[in-house]
Structures are given as C-alpha cells and as structure tokens.
Amino acid sequence: MSTEFAHHKYVLAEVATDEGVRGMGYSLVFGGGGAEAVLAYLDARLKGLLIGEDPLKVEHLWDKMYRGDRGVRRVGIAGMALSALDIALWDLTGKAAGLPLYKLWGGYTDRVRAYGSGGWGRYTEAELIAEAERYARAGCRYYKMKIHHPDPKVNRARVQAVAKALGPGVRMMVDVNQKLDLEGNLRQAALLEEFDLVWYEEPVLSDDLAACAEVASRIRIPVATGENNYTRYEFRELIERKAARYLMPDVCRANGYSETLKIGHLAAAHGVALSPHVAHELSLQICGALANGFLVEYMDWAPQDLFEALPECKDGEFRLPDTPGHGIAFTKEALKKYS
C-alpha cells in the first residue's frame, strides 16, 4: 500500500452518554491529506448538533446533521465527518441493545465472503503474483488488481500472468481508479474480455456518471463503481443510468451506516449487488444485514498494534462478531502512538 500512499489517517469520534454507554466511529482518510479538515468540520459544525440529544434516535440525528449546513453538500470533508459520527451513534445503539449491528438491522447472514485487494500499479509482476497467492492461501476465491499502466497491452499481460498463477479456482477483478476516458476504457476492456472478470472498476472520473454509464453500455465486463460517491441521490442516478452492476459505497465516506443502508436497499430494489469499499471491519455489518451484499474488500494492511481485534478471514470469508455494536476498537497503545 505504501508504494502508492505513504500515510493514511483516521478521524476518530467517540459519543458518550450520561448513562455510561459509549459509541465509537471513524473515517479513513486515504493518503492522510485533509484529515485535519474533516476533524475541524466535525468538531466545529456537527458536534454541537448532537449535544444533549437522545443518541438512540439515530435517523433523527443523521437528518439533523445532514440538513444542518445547507451551504455545504454532504460530500468530501463534510461527508466523512458525518460518517464518523453516524458510525459512532450506531455503535452506541448496538451496545445499548446488546446486539451486533447486522442483527439489529435484520440479520441476513453471519458470514460474508471477501476478495483479496491490492495489485498496486508499482508492483512488479512477481510481487503481484506473490500477493495474489497470499490471499488465495487465506481462502479468498476473488482477487482484485490495478490496471494503471498507460499501455493497455501491458495491463493485459499483467492480468494474464496473475490469472495463470492463480488458476481457475480464483476469479479476478480489475480497477482503473478513474484513470481513463471513454475510448481508453473501450480499448482496455476489449483486451480483458477473455479473462471472465467479475467486474471492471471505476473506469472514469467519479463525477462523470454519464461517462460511466456509456462505458457500462459498451463493454462486455460488468462495471463496478461508487467508492467516491457519497449520497443515495448519486447512487440513484448510477442505478437509473445503468452505470454499474456492482455498487461500492464506502461507509467512511457515504455519510455513514445510515446512508449506506439506504443505498443498499435502493440497490436491492433494482437487482444490483452491493460490495462496500475498504474498511471491511466496518463494512461487514452492512453486508451481514443485506440479501444483496456480495463481497467485502479485504486489505490486510492494518498494523498489528492498531485494533484490539479484527475479524479473521478464514476460508475466504469473515464470520461476523457477536460483539454488540460494530465490535471494533482501537488499542490504548495505538491511541497514544498514532495520535
């Protein structure tokens, strides 16, 4: 991961109550840049809207925060700030109820499959294969790699090398990361059709929903997108334009659990699968609650001293913890070391 981003940062929020129950939420800020702005917005603009309120009225509080600043759209910095607080409120609610969140929300399944994710553009071919094989040894039957080289034939050769090494027991996905235009995607996708890819991810700039829809209509690989979309309204347009068969909201960006659940139910009404972006330790609760939850994105990147415990990927899937709330906590040492 550090070949692409030297640092990540978490913006951590804790909600305390006069009855002693506490909830914890966080947003993961890729690359670390802007984390201070997320914290500043959370602290200066959103925190005051929660003080003195009933923390179990999560929908009311989410709406209060979402509508609390009409001059700022709930995307980017504002969306990530709201996400951290919403995740904390749901964690608190789960603890008060004595239930893990996926059961609180309906409890579709206690096991969620994962795909191994990485395949960074700066990897050598040998490093690519080594990583893919490591995820395969963990039982992952899916692996996603980046296709970032400016020559589409080079990308094809890298995909072919990994596919050959993994064999027929593992299916693959590729991630463009918004790096191509329409014509570039048409050329690239045509070279990858033979590999029976699960999906072709984020082909164009995330703001350009029309271009994403055109790519989806003109290539023969299903499109996945959504990690850089923030609200149910953006996802509604993706669905209406038939721009993707797999939607990938990020709970740390898409205004928290509350909005991500709405996106998931909206997708279900249109026969579209949900595969949340990163933060698998939080995303598991979403997929465990939804019949159309497909896969969580597994990146084994966390330092050993960061979390008290993480769900273990075994035989390619995660067993959801029975811990009330989302079940995730940072170690005391990490809070001192990384602050």
Side-chain angles (χ1 to χ4, degrees):
M1 184 65 186
S2 63
T3 63
E4 301 285 334
F5 301 98
H7 302 281
H8 283 333
K9 290 185 180 179
Y10 290 101
V11 176
L12 173 61
E14 186 175 54
V15 177
T17 67
D18 56 1
E19 295 185 15
V21 184
R22 292 171 176 261
M24 187 272 287
Y26 54 88
S27 281
L28 168 63
V29 182
F30 259 63
E36 292 79 7
V38 174
L39 178 60
Y41 190 85
L42 186 159
D43 194 49
R45 193 68 190 94
L46 298 181
K47 186 173 79 171
L49 300 176
L50 303 183
I51 302 298
E53 291 276 9
D54 179 350
L56 303 186
K57 295 171 66 176
V58 182
E59 183 74 10
H60 166 70
L61 296 178
W62 185 93
D63 197 62
K64 187 176 181 183
M65 290 188 288
Y66 192 82
R67 297 175 181 272
D69 192 348
R70 290 185 296 273
V72 176
R73 290 186 64 219
R74 287 292 173 260
V75 298
I77 288 167
M80 287 187 278
L82 198 159
S83 294
L85 289 169
D86 179 79
I87 291 166
L89 289 168
W90 275 115
D91 185 43
L92 190 157
T93 299
K95 290 174 179 173
L99 290 170
L101 291 177
Y102 80 98
K103 287 186 177 179
L104 191 69
W105 297 328
Y108 178 75
T109 181
D110 64 355
R111 296 176 186 270
V112 177
R113 290 181 298 172
Y115 68 91
S117 181
W120 300 96
R122 295 182 186 178
Y123 280 2
T124 66
E125 187 176 293
E127 288 169 334
L128 263 179
I129 292 171
E131 180 185 75
E133 290 178 335
R134 187 176 76 248
Y135 282 121
R137 286 194 297 272
C140 292
R141 295 182 290 277
Y142 302 88
Y143 175 69
K144 185 176 79 180
M145 59 176 285
K146 312 294 185 181
I147 47 171
H148 289 175
H149 198 279
D151 185 344
K153 293 179 181 178
V154 172
N155 291 323
R156 182 194 179 282
R158 285 164 66 85
V159 171
Q160 183 177 36
V162 176
K164 181 179 179 181
L166 291 175
V170 178
R171 295 190 65 195
M172 293 179 60
M173 306 87 146
V174 296
D175 193 349
V176 180
N177 287 120
Q178 309 182 68
K179 292 183 178 293
L180 297 175
D181 59 12
L182 173 62
E183 294 301 324
N185 280 296
L186 297 181
R187 287 193 297 272
Q188 182 65 82
L191 290 172
L192 299 175
E193 286 179 5
E194 67 182 273
F195 298 109
D196 187 31
L197 299 174
V198 179
W199 70 56
Y200 184 92
E201 186 174 331
E202 217 174 25
V204 295
L205 288 172
S206 61
D207 303 293
D208 196 345
L209 307 188
C212 189
E214 188 166 1
V215 171
S217 71
R218 295 181 62 181
I219 70 173
R220 299 177 65 181
I221 308 169
V223 167
T225 198
E227 68 186 69
N228 290 297
N229 298 105
Y230 285 78
T231 69
R232 79 194 86 147
Y233 308 109
E234 293 178 49
F235 283 92
R236 179 181 64 188
E237 188 171 350
L238 284 167
I239 291 169
E240 289 175 345
R241 290 178 178 270
K242 294 182 171 56
R245 296 301 305 163
Y246 300 94
L247 295 180
M248 314 181 81
D250 183 324
V251 295
C252 295
R253 299 175 186 174
N255 289 276
Y257 279 138
S258 294
E259 189 76 339
T260 304
L261 282 169
K262 292 182 177 70
I263 292 163
H265 289 304
L266 179 64
H270 293 83
V272 175
L274 203 77
S275 186
H277 175 249
V278 300
H280 70 272
E281 70 279 3
L282 296 177
S283 301
L284 286 169
Q285 301 291 336
I286 293 286
C287 282
L290 298 176
N292 63 322
F294 179 37
L295 298 168
V296 291
E297 182 171 14
Y298 176 36
M299 288 188 177
D300 55 351
W301 59 10
Q304 293 298 310
D305 62 353
L306 186 59
F307 295 107
E308 288 186 4
L310 283 176
E312 182 184 359
C313 184
K314 189 174 182 180
D315 298 326
E317 62 183 16
F318 288 97
R319 179 78 177 264
L320 272 74
D322 288 328
T323 311
H326 54 55
I328 304 301
F330 292 97
T331 66
K332 292 180 181 179
E333 292 75 15
L335 294 175
K336 295 177 182 177
K337 178 179 178 180
Y338 296 114
S339 291

